Amino acid sequence: MSAPTGHDGLRARKKQRTRSALVEAGLDLFLRHGYDATTVDEIAAAVEVSPRTFFRYFAGKEDIALAKGAELDEQIVTAFLDAPAGEPPLPALRRAVLSMVRDSASTEGVPNFLRLQHLINRTPSLLAGSLRRSSETQHRIAEEIGRRHGVDAARDLRPHVLVGVVFTGLHLGLEAMCADPRRDLDRLVDLVGRAVDLASAGVPDRWGDQPDSW
């Protein structure tokens, strides 16, 4: 399908700009004032739109907080899909995760990147939503691993276990960095990388055709 052009293209770009502005304004307010203390009206006012317009884009402020996490997940998926099809899945996924961490923390700044992670981890409703989204992303990646390596991910647990331990390492590394007084990008990437390596220490780079080949 071709990209929208003319009036339709202009309208689509305007909608995307409004959506992005709402996300950025919401995250800024959450980080400055706290998630619970921030209202939809305040987010809408920061972008100079009405609450009614806000609800055309998002069902509520939870969607704002989780939108950035969804973008980060998509970065991991995209980076993994760009890996050569024959590359073992563990190093390919590890590299995709670390690429996301480095690129996102560089763009957002390490303090803001970590503050958002801390906000989600300390807000039960956001943590639940983040875990649901992460589970969906992990399932997508496991299915792609199965497709690439000739195993049925619906019956073979190995792709799901591999993805699960890598994402566990990612989350543990981010939590550890949130408690670290340093806000250094290289330290962040190193800590996440070491956490992923520890979590996946028992996972082989390659497997045979049979599920019991581990």
Side-chain angles (χ1 to χ4, degrees), residues 133-150:
R133 186 205 66 246
S134 180
S135 177
E136 294 169 358
T137 301
Q138 292 177 50
H139 182 78
R140 289 170 58 195
I141 297 174
E143 290 287 322
E144 176 62 17
I145 290 174
R147 187 190 69 78
R148 288 187 174 195
H149 295 276

Side-chain angles (χ1 to χ4, degrees), residues 25-175:
L27 293 179
D28 180 62
L29 288 168
F30 296 153
L31 294 176
R32 286 195 288 123
H33 303 303
Y35 177 76
D36 292 332
T38 301
T39 67
V40 167
D41 287 357
E42 289 171 334
I43 298 171
V47 184
E48 299 183 340
V49 299
S50 68
R52 182 177 180 180
T53 297
F54 174 96
F55 286 115
R56 291 176 185 165
Y57 292 86
F58 300 100
K61 66 179 185 178
E62 178 179 321
D63 289 349
I64 290 279
L66 297 178
K68 182 62 68 174
E71 292 177 13
L72 301 184
D73 278 6
E74 284 303 315
Q75 288 183 37
I76 295 174
V77 172
T78 299
F80 180 75
L81 292 177
D82 286 342
E87 182 178 7
L90 178 55
L93 185 54
R94 181 186 188 276
R95 188 172 61 253
V97 165
L98 295 184
S99 174
M100 178 280 290
V101 171
R102 181 174 290 280
D103 291 348
S104 299
S106 297
T107 301
E108 303 291 331
V110 173
N112 279 342
F113 178 78
L114 292 174
R115 286 172 69 195
L116 177 59
Q117 304 303 318
H118 186 76
L119 172 71
I120 291 174
N121 289 339
R122 295 298 179 268
T123 308
S125 61
L126 296 183
L127 180 58
S130 177
L131 291 174
R132 286 194 301 271
R133 186 205 66 246
S134 180
S135 177
E136 294 169 358
T137 301
Q138 292 177 50
H139 182 78
R140 289 170 58 195
I141 297 174
E143 290 287 322
E144 176 62 17
I145 290 174
R147 187 190 69 78
R148 288 187 174 195
H149 295 276
V151 298
D152 182 1
R155 299 172 53 214
D156 192 328
L157 289 177
R158 291 174 298 172
H160 296 281
V161 171
L162 185 153
V163 177
V165 296
V166 171
F167 271 72
T168 296
L170 167 63
H171 295 148
L172 290 174
L174 292 177
E175 285 187 18

Side-chain angles (χ1 to χ4, degrees), residues 105-106 109-118 173-189 191:
S106 297
V110 173
N112 279 342
F113 178 78
L114 292 174
R115 286 172 69 195
L116 177 59
Q117 304 303 318
H118 186 76
L174 292 177
E175 285 187 18
M177 190 65 191
C178 284
D180 194 308
R182 286 167 288 184
R183 289 295 179 259
D184 177 74
L185 178 61
D186 289 337
R187 169 67 174 168
L188 168 62
V189 175
L191 196 56

Side-chain angles (χ1 to χ4, degrees), residues 182-213:
R182 286 167 288 184
R183 289 295 179 259
D184 177 74
L185 178 61
D186 289 337
R187 169 67 174 168
L188 168 62
V189 175
D190 177 67
L191 196 56
V192 171
R194 288 196 287 125
V196 169
D197 291 342
L198 286 170
S200 60
V203 178
D205 283 347
R206 297 183 183 276
W207 53 58
D209 293 332
Q210 298 304 315
D212 60 356
S213 62

